Amino acid sequence: DQQVKQNSPSLSVQEGRISILNCDYTNSMFDYFLWYKKYPAEGPTFLISISSIKDKNEDGRFTVFLNKSAKHLSLHIVPSQPGDSAVYFCAASTPNTGNQFYFGTGTSLTVIP
Amino acid sequence: DTAVSQTPKYLVTQMGNDKSIKCEQNLGHDTMYWYKQDSKKFLKIMFSYNNKELIINETVPNRFSPKSPDKAHLNLHINSLELGDSAVYFCASSHTGKAAFFGQGTRLTVV
């Protein structure tokens, strides 16, 4: 069963606009959430994280929002740049499983110049 | 310097063979992982290991076994390879409870 879901397989955004990537989870024990970016033929690269005690974390153009009651998190990229075009994965972990990270299926973001 | 490196990057082998993929991290992390990315691009945890415990995902066949000679290495051994084992395998490492850093992946093709 998939505990972390990304329901949008793809997203296209104009350069300079906001990109919003969404993620839902089912396990209420998750306490740490992350976003990764992946280019073809490379490993995932860590972008930003948030712990369950917060509802927002910001790092430059990237902001992650966490809504625990809805079991939902989102990644906002503002402004979007062509170099942001990649597959974005959300992930979650809980200490109960040795801090293993459970990944969503990914959203392919295309930023159009 | 590469933080998490795995070798080889590509591996083509015949069914029934035994193969290993090596992973090394120079980040001083205490936990290492193996992930499998299948044909649908889904990243699935296989193992996590630190010097205290090995946690095995229950869906991983026992033909797969991690071997850790020291804290900086976690190698993946696969016995009796099957066609369905073809995938990209990623090694990763982290401090316990922190973000994981991934290697570049090993594309395994079983023919």
Side-chain angles (χ1 to χ4, degrees), chain A residues 8-21 37-40 77 79-88 106-113:
Chain A
S8 298
S10 62
L11 174 68
S12 291
V13 172
Q14 287 288 136
E15 181 178 3
R17 295 288 189 93
I18 184 171
S19 295
I20 300 177
L21 298 102
K37 176 181 181 179
K38 187 180 181 304
Y39 293 117
I77 307 174
S80 301
Q81 299 173 353
D84 296 331
S85 297
V87 177
Y88 289 78
T107 297
S108 179
L109 173 66
T110 302
V111 179
I112 304 165

Side-chain angles (χ1 to χ4, degrees), chain A residues 46-60:
Chain A
F46 169 67
L47 270 178
I48 192 169
S49 64
I50 188 168
S51 77
S52 59
I53 61 173
K54 295 186 175 182
D55 55 18
K56 177 182 174 181
N57 188 26
E58 191 172 351
D59 183 1

Side-chain angles (χ1 to χ4, degrees), chain B residues 11 13 17-21 34-37 44-48 54-67 74-90 106 108-110:
Chain B
L11 180 56
T13 187
N17 284 351
D18 302 337
K19 289 294 179 185
S20 296
I21 307 172
W34 277 103
Y35 281 83
K36 177 181 180 180
Q37 186 177 38
K44 191 167 185 180
I45 182 70
M46 300 177 70
F47 308 98
S48 65
L54 169 67
I55 297 180
I56 303 171
N57 185 300
E58 61 189 13
T59 65
V60 175
N62 57 16
R63 298 181 294 103
F64 291 78
S65 58
K67 298 277 193 319
L74 184 66
N75 303 324
L76 182 64
H77 297 269
I78 316 169
N79 295 327
S80 303
L81 277 154
E82 300 177 357
L83 292 176
D85 297 332
S86 296
V88 182
Y89 293 84
F90 289 99
T106 296
L108 171 66
T109 304
V110 182

Side-chain angles (χ1 to χ4, degrees), chain A:
Chain A
D1 72 51
Q2 197 164 330
Q3 302 183 59
V4 180
K5 299 179 183 179
Q6 294 175 255
N7 293 318
S8 298
S10 62
L11 174 68
S12 291
V13 172
Q14 287 288 136
E15 181 178 3
R17 295 288 189 93
I18 184 171
S19 295
I20 300 177
L21 298 102
N22 294 304
C23 180
D24 298 294
Y25 61 96
T26 57
N27 188 343
S28 58
M29 298 299 293
F30 286 144
D31 65 351
Y32 186 54
F33 303 88
L34 312 92
W35 283 95
Y36 283 84
K37 176 181 181 179
K38 187 180 181 304
Y39 293 117
E42 294 185 10
T45 301
F46 169 67
L47 270 178
I48 192 169
S49 64
I50 188 168
S51 77
S52 59
I53 61 173
K54 295 186 175 182
D55 55 18
K56 177 182 174 181
N57 188 26
E58 191 172 351
D59 183 1
R61 296 186 298 115
F62 301 92
T63 303
V64 56
F65 295 92
L66 176 62
N67 183 334
K68 287 193 296 290
S69 60
K71 294 193 178 70
H72 178 84
L73 68 155
S74 61
L75 175 69
H76 293 208
I77 307 174
V78 181
S80 301
Q81 299 173 353
D84 296 331
S85 297
V87 177
Y88 289 78
F89 291 93
C90 65
S93 72
T94 164
N96 295 343
T97 55
N99 294 111
Q100 293 185 352
F101 298 96
Y102 294 87
F103 280 79
T105 48
T107 297
S108 179
L109 173 66
T110 302
V111 179
I112 304 165

